[in-house]
Every structure is written in structure tokens, then in C-alpha cells.
PDB file of all heavy atoms in Angstrom:
ATOM      1  N   ALA A 107      -1.769  21.017 -19.740  1.00 97.00           N
ATOM      2  CA  ALA A 107      -3.162  21.215 -19.298  1.00 97.00           C
ATOM      3  C   ALA A 107      -4.123  20.348 -20.119  1.00 97.00           C
ATOM      4  O   ALA A 107      -5.081  19.770 -19.578  1.00 97.00           O
ATOM      5  CB  ALA A 107      -3.545  22.683 -19.418  1.00 97.00           C
ATOM      6  N   LYS A 108      -3.856  20.226 -21.428  1.00 97.00           N
ATOM      7  CA  LYS A 108      -4.715  19.385 -22.278  1.00 97.00           C
ATOM      8  C   LYS A 108      -4.653  17.919 -21.846  1.00 97.00           C
ATOM      9  O   LYS A 108      -5.676  17.230 -21.783  1.00 97.00           O
ATOM     10  CB  LYS A 108      -4.282  19.508 -23.743  1.00 97.00           C
ATOM     11  CG  LYS A 108      -4.633  20.848 -24.386  1.00 97.00           C
ATOM     12  CD  LYS A 108      -4.114  20.914 -25.816  1.00 97.00           C
ATOM     13  CE  LYS A 108      -4.371  22.291 -26.424  1.00 97.00           C
ATOM     14  NZ  LYS A 108      -3.770  22.419 -27.772  1.00 97.00           N
ATOM     15  N   GLN A 109      -3.446  17.445 -21.536  1.00 97.00           N
ATOM     16  CA  GLN A 109      -3.290  16.051 -21.112  1.00 97.00           C
ATOM     17  C   GLN A 109      -4.018  15.797 -19.792  1.00 97.00           C
ATOM     18  O   GLN A 109      -4.710  14.795 -19.629  1.00 97.00           O
ATOM     19  CB  GLN A 109      -1.808  15.689 -20.975  1.00 97.00           C
ATOM     20  CG  GLN A 109      -1.012  15.766 -22.264  1.00 97.00           C
ATOM     21  CD  GLN A 109      -1.494  14.775 -23.301  1.00 97.00           C
ATOM     22  OE1 GLN A 109      -2.445  15.034 -24.022  1.00 97.00           O
ATOM     23  NE2 GLN A 109      -0.856  13.627 -23.378  1.00 97.00           N
ATOM     24  N   PHE A 110      -3.851  16.730 -18.837  1.00 97.00           N
ATOM     25  CA  PHE A 110      -4.529  16.570 -17.547  1.00 97.00           C
ATOM     26  C   PHE A 110      -6.049  16.636 -17.716  1.00 97.00           C
ATOM     27  O   PHE A 110      -6.788  15.912 -17.046  1.00 97.00           O
ATOM     28  CB  PHE A 110      -4.068  17.649 -16.563  1.00 97.00           C
ATOM     29  CG  PHE A 110      -2.680  17.443 -16.023  1.00 97.00           C
ATOM     30  CD1 PHE A 110      -1.774  18.491 -15.964  1.00 97.00           C
ATOM     31  CD2 PHE A 110      -2.280  16.207 -15.557  1.00 97.00           C
ATOM     32  CE1 PHE A 110      -0.499  18.318 -15.456  1.00 97.00           C
ATOM     33  CE2 PHE A 110      -0.997  16.005 -15.052  1.00 97.00           C
ATOM     34  CZ  PHE A 110      -0.114  17.065 -14.998  1.00 97.00           C
ATOM     35  N   ALA A 111      -6.515  17.515 -18.601  1.00 97.00           N
ATOM     36  CA  ALA A 111      -7.966  17.662 -18.821  1.00 97.00           C
ATOM     37  C   ALA A 111      -8.558  16.370 -19.401  1.00 97.00           C
ATOM     38  O   ALA A 111      -9.634  15.923 -18.982  1.00 97.00           O
ATOM     39  CB  ALA A 111      -8.236  18.840 -19.746  1.00 97.00           C
ATOM     40  N   ILE A 112      -7.849  15.748 -20.360  1.00 97.00           N
ATOM     41  CA  ILE A 112      -8.326  14.478 -20.935  1.00 97.00           C
ATOM     42  C   ILE A 112      -8.326  13.388 -19.855  1.00 97.00           C
ATOM     43  O   ILE A 112      -9.279  12.608 -19.728  1.00 97.00           O
ATOM     44  CB  ILE A 112      -7.437  14.051 -22.128  1.00 97.00           C
ATOM     45  CG1 ILE A 112      -7.525  15.079 -23.259  1.00 97.00           C
ATOM     46  CG2 ILE A 112      -7.847  12.670 -22.636  1.00 97.00           C
ATOM     47  CD1 ILE A 112      -6.480  14.892 -24.343  1.00 97.00           C
ATOM     48  N   ALA A 113      -7.239  13.345 -19.065  1.00 97.00           N
ATOM     49  CA  ALA A 113      -7.156  12.346 -17.981  1.00 97.00           C
ATOM     50  C   ALA A 113      -8.295  12.530 -16.982  1.00 97.00           C
ATOM     51  O   ALA A 113      -8.874  11.550 -16.494  1.00 97.00           O
ATOM     52  CB  ALA A 113      -5.805  12.463 -17.275  1.00 97.00           C
ATOM     53  N   LEU A 114      -8.626  13.786 -16.689  1.00 96.00           N
ATOM     54  CA  LEU A 114      -9.698  14.066 -15.726  1.00 96.00           C
ATOM     55  C   LEU A 114     -11.052  13.566 -16.239  1.00 96.00           C
ATOM     56  O   LEU A 114     -11.860  13.014 -15.484  1.00 96.00           O
ATOM     57  CB  LEU A 114      -9.755  15.575 -15.453  1.00 96.00           C
ATOM     58  CG  LEU A 114     -10.592  16.033 -14.256  1.00 96.00           C
ATOM     59  CD1 LEU A 114     -10.081  15.409 -12.966  1.00 96.00           C
ATOM     60  CD2 LEU A 114     -10.584  17.548 -14.150  1.00 96.00           C
ATOM     61  N   LYS A 115     -11.299  13.719 -17.532  1.00 95.00           N
ATOM     62  CA  LYS A 115     -12.564  13.245 -18.116  1.00 95.00           C
ATOM     63  C   LYS A 115     -12.669  11.724 -18.051  1.00 95.00           C
ATOM     64  O   LYS A 115     -13.759  11.174 -17.871  1.00 95.00           O
ATOM     65  CB  LYS A 115     -12.668  13.688 -19.580  1.00 95.00           C
ATOM     66  CG  LYS A 115     -12.996  15.165 -19.761  1.00 95.00           C
ATOM     67  CD  LYS A 115     -13.081  15.511 -21.239  1.00 95.00           C
ATOM     68  CE  LYS A 115     -13.327  17.005 -21.436  1.00 95.00           C
ATOM     69  NZ  LYS A 115     -13.330  17.373 -22.873  1.00 95.00           N
ATOM     70  N   LEU A 116     -11.532  11.043 -18.210  1.00 95.00           N
ATOM     71  CA  LEU A 116     -11.538   9.575 -18.249  1.00 95.00           C
ATOM     72  C   LEU A 116     -11.393   8.936 -16.874  1.00 95.00           C
ATOM     73  O   LEU A 116     -11.571   7.724 -16.731  1.00 95.00           O
ATOM     74  CB  LEU A 116     -10.389   9.077 -19.133  1.00 95.00           C
ATOM     75  CG  LEU A 116     -10.429   9.491 -20.607  1.00 95.00           C
ATOM     76  CD1 LEU A 116      -9.111   9.133 -21.282  1.00 95.00           C
ATOM     77  CD2 LEU A 116     -11.588   8.812 -21.323  1.00 95.00           C
ATOM     78  N   SER A 117     -11.070   9.723 -15.860  1.00 93.00           N
ATOM     79  CA  SER A 117     -10.675   9.167 -14.565  1.00 93.00           C
ATOM     80  C   SER A 117     -11.864   8.679 -13.747  1.00 93.00           C
ATOM     81  O   SER A 117     -12.986   9.159 -13.897  1.00 93.00           O
ATOM     82  CB  SER A 117      -9.897  10.211 -13.760  1.00 93.00           C
ATOM     83  OG  SER A 117     -10.720  11.334 -13.498  1.00 93.00           O
ATOM     84  N   GLU A 118     -11.562   7.735 -12.868  1.00 86.00           N
ATOM     85  CA  GLU A 118     -12.531   7.252 -11.884  1.00 86.00           C
ATOM     86  C   GLU A 118     -12.390   8.087 -10.610  1.00 86.00           C
ATOM     87  O   GLU A 118     -11.513   8.936 -10.503  1.00 86.00           O
ATOM     88  CB  GLU A 118     -12.271   5.773 -11.569  1.00 86.00           C
ATOM     89  CG  GLU A 118     -12.316   4.861 -12.784  1.00 86.00           C
ATOM     90  CD  GLU A 118     -13.722   4.725 -13.359  1.00 86.00           C
ATOM     91  OE1 GLU A 118     -14.691   4.957 -12.610  1.00 86.00           O
ATOM     92  OE2 GLU A 118     -13.840   4.401 -14.564  1.00 86.00           O
ATOM     93  N   ASP A 119     -13.233   7.798  -9.618  1.00 82.00           N
ATOM     94  CA  ASP A 119     -13.247   8.600  -8.386  1.00 82.00           C
ATOM     95  C   ASP A 119     -11.898   8.617  -7.683  1.00 82.00           C
ATOM     96  O   ASP A 119     -11.453   9.644  -7.186  1.00 82.00           O
ATOM     97  CB  ASP A 119     -14.321   8.059  -7.423  1.00 82.00           C
ATOM     98  CG  ASP A 119     -15.724   8.402  -7.922  1.00 82.00           C
ATOM     99  OD1 ASP A 119     -15.833   9.315  -8.764  1.00 82.00           O
ATOM    100  OD2 ASP A 119     -16.687   7.754  -7.485  1.00 82.00           O
ATOM    101  N   GLU A 120     -11.220   7.462  -7.633  1.00 80.00           N
ATOM    102  CA  GLU A 120      -9.982   7.359  -6.864  1.00 80.00           C
ATOM    103  C   GLU A 120      -8.839   8.164  -7.473  1.00 80.00           C
ATOM    104  O   GLU A 120      -7.878   8.510  -6.788  1.00 80.00           O
ATOM    105  CB  GLU A 120      -9.572   5.893  -6.737  1.00 80.00           C
ATOM    106  CG  GLU A 120      -9.320   5.215  -8.078  1.00 80.00           C
ATOM    107  CD  GLU A 120      -9.207   3.700  -7.955  1.00 80.00           C
ATOM    108  OE1 GLU A 120      -9.863   3.121  -7.081  1.00 80.00           O
ATOM    109  OE2 GLU A 120      -8.465   3.123  -8.759  1.00 80.00           O
ATOM    110  N   GLU A 121      -8.923   8.478  -8.767  1.00 90.00           N
ATOM    111  CA  GLU A 121      -7.839   9.226  -9.424  1.00 90.00           C
ATOM    112  C   GLU A 121      -8.166  10.709  -9.590  1.00 90.00           C
ATOM    113  O   GLU A 121      -7.269  11.516  -9.835  1.00 90.00           O
ATOM    114  CB  GLU A 121      -7.571   8.637 -10.819  1.00 90.00           C
ATOM    115  CG  GLU A 121      -7.231   7.165 -10.821  1.00 90.00           C
ATOM    116  CD  GLU A 121      -7.987   6.402 -11.904  1.00 90.00           C
ATOM    117  OE1 GLU A 121      -8.707   7.048 -12.688  1.00 90.00           O
ATOM    118  OE2 GLU A 121      -7.882   5.172 -11.938  1.00 90.00           O
ATOM    119  N   ARG A 122      -9.435  11.071  -9.476  1.00 94.00           N
ATOM    120  CA  ARG A 122      -9.860  12.432  -9.826  1.00 94.00           C
ATOM    121  C   ARG A 122      -9.173  13.506  -8.984  1.00 94.00           C
ATOM    122  O   ARG A 122      -8.788  14.559  -9.502  1.00 94.00           O
ATOM    123  CB  ARG A 122     -11.375  12.570  -9.699  1.00 94.00           C
ATOM    124  CG  ARG A 122     -12.155  11.828 -10.768  1.00 94.00           C
ATOM    125  CD  ARG A 122     -13.632  12.168 -10.699  1.00 94.00           C
ATOM    126  NE  ARG A 122     -13.872  13.534 -11.152  1.00 94.00           N
ATOM    127  CZ  ARG A 122     -13.963  13.904 -12.415  1.00 94.00           C
ATOM    128  NH1 ARG A 122     -13.823  12.999 -13.385  1.00 94.00           N
ATOM    129  NH2 ARG A 122     -14.199  15.146 -12.744  1.00 94.00           N
ATOM    130  N   ASP A 123      -9.038  13.246  -7.686  1.00 95.00           N
ATOM    131  CA  ASP A 123      -8.441  14.258  -6.806  1.00 95.00           C
ATOM    132  C   ASP A 123      -7.013  14.582  -7.218  1.00 95.00           C
ATOM    133  O   ASP A 123      -6.628  15.756  -7.328  1.00 95.00           O
ATOM    134  CB  ASP A 123      -8.462  13.774  -5.353  1.00 95.00           C
ATOM    135  CG  ASP A 123      -9.865  13.820  -4.754  1.00 95.00           C
ATOM    136  OD1 ASP A 123     -10.783  14.320  -5.436  1.00 95.00           O
ATOM    137  OD2 ASP A 123     -10.041  13.361  -3.614  1.00 95.00           O
ATOM    138  N   MET A 124      -6.218  13.526  -7.467  1.00 95.00           N
ATOM    139  CA  MET A 124      -4.819  13.717  -7.853  1.00 95.00           C
ATOM    140  C   MET A 124      -4.703  14.517  -9.155  1.00 95.00           C
ATOM    141  O   MET A 124      -3.928  15.481  -9.250  1.00 95.00           O
ATOM    142  CB  MET A 124      -4.151  12.352  -8.017  1.00 95.00           C
ATOM    143  CG  MET A 124      -2.776  12.368  -8.644  1.00 95.00           C
ATOM    144  SD  MET A 124      -2.162  10.710  -8.994  1.00 95.00           S
ATOM    145  CE  MET A 124      -3.233  10.198 -10.339  1.00 95.00           C
ATOM    146  N   ILE A 125      -5.496  14.130 -10.161  1.00 97.00           N
ATOM    147  CA  ILE A 125      -5.411  14.800 -11.462  1.00 97.00           C
ATOM    148  C   ILE A 125      -5.945  16.230 -11.373  1.00 97.00           C
ATOM    149  O   ILE A 125      -5.417  17.144 -12.010  1.00 97.00           O
ATOM    150  CB  ILE A 125      -6.167  13.984 -12.529  1.00 97.00           C
ATOM    151  CG1 ILE A 125      -5.524  12.597 -12.667  1.00 97.00           C
ATOM    152  CG2 ILE A 125      -6.151  14.690 -13.880  1.00 97.00           C
ATOM    153  CD1 ILE A 125      -6.352  11.603 -13.455  1.00 97.00           C
ATOM    154  N   SER A 126      -6.991  16.444 -10.559  1.00 96.00           N
ATOM    155  CA  SER A 126      -7.542  17.796 -10.382  1.00 96.00           C
ATOM    156  C   SER A 126      -6.486  18.746  -9.833  1.00 96.00           C
ATOM    157  O   SER A 126      -6.359  19.886 -10.298  1.00 96.00           O
ATOM    158  CB  SER A 126      -8.743  17.758  -9.428  1.00 96.00           C
ATOM    159  OG  SER A 126      -9.806  17.029  -9.985  1.00 96.00           O
ATOM    160  N   ILE A 127      -5.718  18.273  -8.857  1.00 97.00           N
ATOM    161  CA  ILE A 127      -4.672  19.121  -8.265  1.00 97.00           C
ATOM    162  C   ILE A 127      -3.569  19.409  -9.287  1.00 97.00           C
ATOM    163  O   ILE A 127      -3.061  20.531  -9.391  1.00 97.00           O
ATOM    164  CB  ILE A 127      -4.093  18.460  -6.996  1.00 97.00           C
ATOM    165  CG1 ILE A 127      -5.161  18.412  -5.900  1.00 97.00           C
ATOM    166  CG2 ILE A 127      -2.871  19.195  -6.498  1.00 97.00           C
ATOM    167  CD1 ILE A 127      -5.727  19.752  -5.519  1.00 97.00           C
ATOM    168  N   ASN A 128      -3.200  18.389 -10.078  1.00 97.00           N
ATOM    169  CA  ASN A 128      -2.172  18.608 -11.108  1.00 97.00           C
ATOM    170  C   ASN A 128      -2.633  19.644 -12.132  1.00 97.00           C
ATOM    171  O   ASN A 128      -1.869  20.528 -12.530  1.00 97.00           O
ATOM    172  CB  ASN A 128      -1.851  17.286 -11.816  1.00 97.00           C
ATOM    173  CG  ASN A 128      -1.040  16.347 -10.945  1.00 97.00           C
ATOM    174  OD1 ASN A 128      -0.407  16.774  -9.992  1.00 97.00           O
ATOM    175  ND2 ASN A 128      -1.077  15.071 -11.245  1.00 97.00           N
ATOM    176  N   LEU A 129      -3.901  19.538 -12.554  1.00 97.00           N
ATOM    177  CA  LEU A 129      -4.437  20.499 -13.521  1.00 97.00           C
ATOM    178  C   LEU A 129      -4.537  21.887 -12.895  1.00 97.00           C
ATOM    179  O   LEU A 129      -4.233  22.895 -13.551  1.00 97.00           O
ATOM    180  CB  LEU A 129      -5.811  20.028 -14.013  1.00 97.00           C
ATOM    181  CG  LEU A 129      -6.521  20.927 -15.035  1.00 97.00           C
ATOM    182  CD1 LEU A 129      -5.631  21.214 -16.240  1.00 97.00           C
ATOM    183  CD2 LEU A 129      -7.839  20.291 -15.492  1.00 97.00           C
ATOM    184  N   ALA A 130      -4.943  21.959 -11.632  1.00 97.00           N
ATOM    185  CA  ALA A 130      -5.036  23.257 -10.943  1.00 97.00           C
ATOM    186  C   ALA A 130      -3.672  23.942 -10.888  1.00 97.00           C
ATOM    187  O   ALA A 130      -3.563  25.165 -11.078  1.00 97.00           O
ATOM    188  CB  ALA A 130      -5.582  23.062  -9.531  1.00 97.00           C
ATOM    189  N   ARG A 131      -2.622  23.163 -10.656  1.00 97.00           N
ATOM    190  CA  ARG A 131      -1.271  23.736 -10.585  1.00 97.00           C
ATOM    191  C   ARG A 131      -0.868  24.353 -11.924  1.00 97.00           C
ATOM    192  O   ARG A 131      -0.251  25.417 -11.983  1.00 97.00           O
ATOM    193  CB  ARG A 131      -0.285  22.649 -10.168  1.00 97.00           C
ATOM    194  CG  ARG A 131       1.102  23.157  -9.860  1.00 97.00           C
ATOM    195  CD  ARG A 131       1.984  22.091  -9.263  1.00 97.00           C
ATOM    196  NE  ARG A 131       2.135  20.943 -10.147  1.00 97.00           N
ATOM    197  CZ  ARG A 131       1.592  19.763  -9.944  1.00 97.00           C
ATOM    198  NH1 ARG A 131       0.827  19.537  -8.895  1.00 97.00           N
ATOM    199  NH2 ARG A 131       1.790  18.762 -10.785  1.00 97.00           N
ATOM    200  N   ILE A 132      -1.252  23.694 -13.031  1.00 97.00           N
ATOM    201  CA  ILE A 132      -0.967  24.236 -14.361  1.00 97.00           C
ATOM    202  C   ILE A 132      -1.780  25.505 -14.613  1.00 97.00           C
ATOM    203  O   ILE A 132      -1.276  26.483 -15.173  1.00 97.00           O
ATOM    204  CB  ILE A 132      -1.292  23.183 -15.445  1.00 97.00           C
ATOM    205  CG1 ILE A 132      -0.398  21.950 -15.283  1.00 97.00           C
ATOM    206  CG2 ILE A 132      -1.125  23.771 -16.847  1.00 97.00           C
ATOM    207  CD1 ILE A 132       1.060  22.194 -15.518  1.00 97.00           C
ATOM    208  N   LEU A 133      -3.043  25.501 -14.201  1.00 97.00           N
ATOM    209  CA  LEU A 133      -3.896  26.680 -14.399  1.00 97.00           C
ATOM    210  C   LEU A 133      -3.357  27.884 -13.626  1.00 97.00           C
ATOM    211  O   LEU A 133      -3.460  29.022 -14.093  1.00 97.00           O
ATOM    212  CB  LEU A 133      -5.335  26.362 -13.968  1.00 97.00           C
ATOM    213  CG  LEU A 133      -6.068  25.326 -14.829  1.00 97.00           C
ATOM    214  CD1 LEU A 133      -7.417  24.974 -14.222  1.00 97.00           C
ATOM    215  CD2 LEU A 133      -6.242  25.825 -16.259  1.00 97.00           C
ATOM    216  N   ILE A 134      -2.769  27.628 -12.465  1.00 96.00           N
ATOM    217  CA  ILE A 134      -2.131  28.718 -11.711  1.00 96.00           C
ATOM    218  C   ILE A 134      -0.974  29.291 -12.522  1.00 96.00           C
ATOM    219  O   ILE A 134      -0.787  30.509 -12.610  1.00 96.00           O
ATOM    220  CB  ILE A 134      -1.651  28.220 -10.332  1.00 96.00           C
ATOM    221  CG1 ILE A 134      -2.852  27.898  -9.430  1.00 96.00           C
ATOM    222  CG2 ILE A 134      -0.768  29.264  -9.654  1.00 96.00           C
ATOM    223  CD1 ILE A 134      -2.487  27.172  -8.142  1.00 96.00           C
ATOM    224  N   GLN A 135      -0.198  28.405 -13.150  1.00 96.00           N
ATOM    225  CA  GLN A 135       0.954  28.850 -13.952  1.00 96.00           C
ATOM    226  C   GLN A 135       0.515  29.676 -15.158  1.00 96.00           C
ATOM    227  O   GLN A 135       1.218  30.584 -15.587  1.00 96.00           O
ATOM    228  CB  GLN A 135       1.758  27.638 -14.444  1.00 96.00           C
ATOM    229  CG  GLN A 135       2.500  26.893 -13.354  1.00 96.00           C
ATOM    230  CD  GLN A 135       3.737  27.619 -12.888  1.00 96.00           C
ATOM    231  OE1 GLN A 135       4.127  28.633 -13.437  1.00 96.00           O
ATOM    232  NE2 GLN A 135       4.359  27.112 -11.830  1.00 96.00           N
ATOM    233  N   THR A 136      -0.663  29.348 -15.709  1.00 96.00           N
ATOM    234  CA  THR A 136      -1.125  30.046 -16.913  1.00 96.00           C
ATOM    235  C   THR A 136      -2.063  31.207 -16.598  1.00 96.00           C
ATOM    236  O   THR A 136      -2.655  31.789 -17.508  1.00 96.00           O
ATOM    237  CB  THR A 136      -1.833  29.058 -17.865  1.00 96.00           C
ATOM    238  OG1 THR A 136      -2.877  28.375 -17.156  1.00 96.00           O
ATOM    239  CG2 THR A 136      -0.847  28.031 -18.411  1.00 96.00           C
ATOM    240  N   GLY A 137      -2.216  31.531 -15.313  1.00 95.00           N
ATOM    241  CA  GLY A 137      -3.004  32.704 -14.935  1.00 95.00           C
ATOM    242  C   GLY A 137      -4.504  32.494 -14.863  1.00 95.00           C
ATOM    243  O   GLY A 137      -5.263  33.456 -14.716  1.00 95.00           O
ATOM    244  N   LYS A 138      -4.964  31.244 -14.934  1.00 96.00           N
ATOM    245  CA  LYS A 138      -6.409  30.962 -14.854  1.00 96.00           C
ATOM    246  C   LYS A 138      -6.764  30.603 -13.406  1.00 96.00           C
ATOM    247  O   LYS A 138      -7.069  29.468 -13.065  1.00 96.00           O
ATOM    248  CB  LYS A 138      -6.772  29.826 -15.812  1.00 96.00           C
ATOM    249  CG  LYS A 138      -6.490  30.187 -17.275  1.00 96.00           C
ATOM    250  CD  LYS A 138      -6.735  29.009 -18.199  1.00 96.00           C
ATOM    251  CE  LYS A 138      -6.407  29.379 -19.646  1.00 96.00           C
ATOM    252  NZ  LYS A 138      -6.527  28.234 -20.570  1.00 96.00           N
ATOM    253  N   TYR A 139      -6.726  31.638 -12.559  1.00 97.00           N
ATOM    254  CA  TYR A 139      -6.817  31.412 -11.124  1.00 97.00           C
ATOM    255  C   TYR A 139      -8.205  30.965 -10.672  1.00 97.00           C
ATOM    256  O   TYR A 139      -8.331  30.097  -9.807  1.00 97.00           O
ATOM    257  CB  TYR A 139      -6.395  32.678 -10.371  1.00 97.00           C
ATOM    258  CG  TYR A 139      -5.046  33.200 -10.795  1.00 97.00           C
ATOM    259  CD1 TYR A 139      -4.866  34.526 -11.187  1.00 97.00           C
ATOM    260  CD2 TYR A 139      -3.935  32.349 -10.825  1.00 97.00           C
ATOM    261  CE1 TYR A 139      -3.628  35.003 -11.584  1.00 97.00           C
ATOM    262  CE2 TYR A 139      -2.688  32.818 -11.227  1.00 97.00           C
ATOM    263  CZ  TYR A 139      -2.543  34.150 -11.612  1.00 97.00           C
ATOM    264  OH  TYR A 139      -1.314  34.608 -12.007  1.00 97.00           O
ATOM    265  N   GLU A 140      -9.255  31.546 -11.240  1.00 96.00           N
ATOM    266  CA  GLU A 140     -10.618  31.190 -10.840  1.00 96.00           C
ATOM    267  C   GLU A 140     -10.920  29.726 -11.171  1.00 96.00           C
ATOM    268  O   GLU A 140     -11.560  29.018 -10.390  1.00 96.00           O
ATOM    269  CB  GLU A 140     -11.642  32.111 -11.522  1.00 96.00           C
ATOM    270  CG  GLU A 140     -11.506  33.587 -11.166  1.00 96.00           C
ATOM    271  CD  GLU A 140     -11.804  33.862  -9.698  1.00 96.00           C
ATOM    272  OE1 GLU A 140     -12.447  33.000  -9.053  1.00 96.00           O
ATOM    273  OE2 GLU A 140     -11.396  34.921  -9.186  1.00 96.00           O
ATOM    274  N   GLU A 141     -10.446  29.280 -12.343  1.00 96.00           N
ATOM    275  CA  GLU A 141     -10.640  27.874 -12.719  1.00 96.00           C
ATOM    276  C   GLU A 141      -9.878  26.949 -11.767  1.00 96.00           C
ATOM    277  O   GLU A 141     -10.363  25.870 -11.410  1.00 96.00           O
ATOM    278  CB  GLU A 141     -10.173  27.645 -14.152  1.00 96.00           C
ATOM    279  CG  GLU A 141     -11.038  28.327 -15.205  1.00 96.00           C
ATOM    280  CD  GLU A 141     -10.501  28.097 -16.620  1.00 96.00           C
ATOM    281  OE1 GLU A 141     -10.044  26.965 -16.891  1.00 96.00           O
ATOM    282  OE2 GLU A 141     -10.548  29.035 -17.435  1.00 96.00           O
ATOM    283  N   ALA A 142      -8.677  27.394 -11.364  1.00 97.00           N
ATOM    284  CA  ALA A 142      -7.883  26.593 -10.421  1.00 97.00           C
ATOM    285  C   ALA A 142      -8.595  26.483  -9.073  1.00 97.00           C
ATOM    286  O   ALA A 142      -8.629  25.404  -8.461  1.00 97.00           O
ATOM    287  CB  ALA A 142      -6.503  27.227 -10.240  1.00 97.00           C
ATOM    288  N   VAL A 143      -9.196  27.584  -8.617  1.00 97.00           N
ATOM    289  CA  VAL A 143      -9.949  27.571  -7.355  1.00 97.00           C
ATOM    290  C   VAL A 143     -11.102  26.580  -7.444  1.00 97.00           C
ATOM    291  O   VAL A 143     -11.325  25.762  -6.539  1.00 97.00           O
ATOM    292  CB  VAL A 143     -10.477  28.988  -7.020  1.00 97.00           C
ATOM    293  CG1 VAL A 143     -11.448  28.933  -5.847  1.00 97.00           C
ATOM    294  CG2 VAL A 143      -9.320  29.931  -6.699  1.00 97.00           C
TER     295      VAL A 143
END
């Protein structure tokens, strides 16, 4: 989640969607459902 969060901060528009979904999937695994939504 930390790696995806750093990537999301540095990402441009074309990469943001992909990284957002990857981070959301991790947040689901860790029980942070509202943040994933």
C-alpha cells in the first residue's frame, strides 16, 4: 500500500487510474473499505 500510495502521488493522468485500482485492491485486503470506495 505504501508503494502504491507513493506511485499515486508521483503519477501523471494516464497512470493514475491503474495505480488507484491497485491501491484500492490492497485497501480491500486490509479492511479499509471506505477508502477503497
Side-chain angles (χ1 to χ4, degrees):
K108 288 177 184 175
Q109 297 296 83
F110 286 134
I112 297 168
L114 193 59
K115 285 180 183 177
L116 298 170
S117 62
E118 303 291 337
D119 287 342
E120 60 192 32
E121 303 135 4
R122 289 188 71 81
D123 286 355
M124 170 188 70
I125 299 167
S126 295
I127 293 302
N128 287 340
L129 180 54
R131 189 172 59 252
I132 297 295
L133 293 174
I134 291 170
Q135 291 284 354
T136 54
K138 298 175 182 175
Y139 307 127
E140 298 295 341
E141 292 178 39
V143 170

